[in-house]
């Protein structure tokens, strides 16, 4: 059964490649279907891959090969909650190590320009706690690229 809400992501010609990467990187992720264009369109020709249905951690997505007109921006990102440093490292390294780019505060971009927040749960819990704990953790986070769980935990304790 098709979900009522699906995230549609615009790609140039590589939606299928991106979907395969996401499916191989994240659990509960898979490529569901590949649809070819029934006719020529501004971004491609009849028979080219037009749409790719896939999931990322169970979230329904559609990759649309619409052409070069639109680029991804930080205005949209996937936020991936991680349980420990090992999981944080695994996802971060997969994205950055596969042609991606580091950014600040746990953010990175994949090689297709999509933004990802690789966010340990301990960070979100500490920020939600408020007060001095949140201030210390926020200050520590602001100095990081990939989130260091041990540093966050130390900042929580004061």
């Amino acid at each position: 059964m098709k979900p009522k809400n699906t995230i549609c992501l615009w790609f140039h010609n590589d939606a299928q490649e991106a979907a395969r990467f996401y499916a191989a990187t994240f659990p509960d992720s898979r490529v569901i279907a590949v649809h070819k264009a029934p006719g020529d369109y501004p971004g491609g020709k009849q028979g080219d891959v037009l749409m790719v249905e896939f999931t990322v951690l169970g979230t329904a997505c559609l990759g649309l090969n619409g052409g070069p007109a639109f680029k991804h921006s930080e205005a949209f990102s996937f936020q991936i909650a991680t349980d420990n440093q090992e999981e944080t490292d695994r996802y971060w390294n997969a994205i950055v190590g596969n042609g991606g780019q580091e950014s600040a505060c746990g953010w990175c971009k994949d090689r297709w320009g999509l933004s990802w927040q690789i966010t340990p749960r301990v960070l979100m819990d500490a920020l939600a706690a408020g007060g001095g704990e949140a201030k210390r953790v926020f200050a520590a986070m602001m100095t990081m690229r990939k989130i260091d769980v041990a540093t966050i935990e130390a900042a929580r304790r004061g």
Side-chain angles (χ1 to χ4, degrees):
M1 185 169 156
K2 293 235 184 229
K4 284 190 170 233
N5 185 26
T6 300
I7 296 170
C8 183
L9 301 167
W10 186 285
F11 291 88
H12 181 24
N13 288 322
D14 43 15
Q16 187 172 11
E17 181 182 1
R20 285 181 182 149
F21 172 75
Y22 305 145
T25 301
F26 300 101
D28 194 23
S29 303
R30 65 188 182 101
V31 176
I32 297 166
V34 176
H35 305 284
K36 301 211 175 193
D40 292 350
Y41 61 103
K45 304 221 174 283
Q46 179 179 346
D48 288 350
V49 172
L50 178 62
M51 298 180 299
V52 181
E53 296 177 58
F54 61 99
T55 59
V56 174
L57 289 162
T59 299
C61 298
L62 177 73
L64 174 65
N65 281 330
F70 300 109
K71 305 287 183 216
H72 298 291
S73 81
E74 288 80 0
F76 173 87
S77 64
F78 283 101
Q79 185 180 51
I80 307 300
T82 59
D83 293 324
N84 52 47
Q85 190 67 55
E86 178 186 2
E87 188 177 24
T88 300
D89 292 347
R90 184 172 64 248
Y91 296 148
W92 182 274
N93 295 340
I95 292 168
V96 173
N98 189 35
Q101 179 181 7
E102 292 184 352
S103 190
C105 304
W107 288 60
C108 57
K109 280 187 184 179
D110 65 26
R111 69 180 182 186
W112 299 279
L114 271 169
S115 290
W116 297 81
Q117 298 177 58
I118 309 302
T119 310
R121 293 180 196 278
V122 67
L123 171 62
M124 296 308 292
D125 292 346
L127 293 173
E133 179 180 335
K135 281 186 171 191
R136 291 187 306 273
V137 166
F138 185 76
M141 177 199 70
M142 293 300 292
T143 67
M144 298 178 188
R145 289 186 175 272
K146 177 175 64 175
I147 302 299
D148 182 278
V149 171
T151 302
I152 295 299
E153 289 172 337
R156 276 189 96 170
R157 291 188 299 271

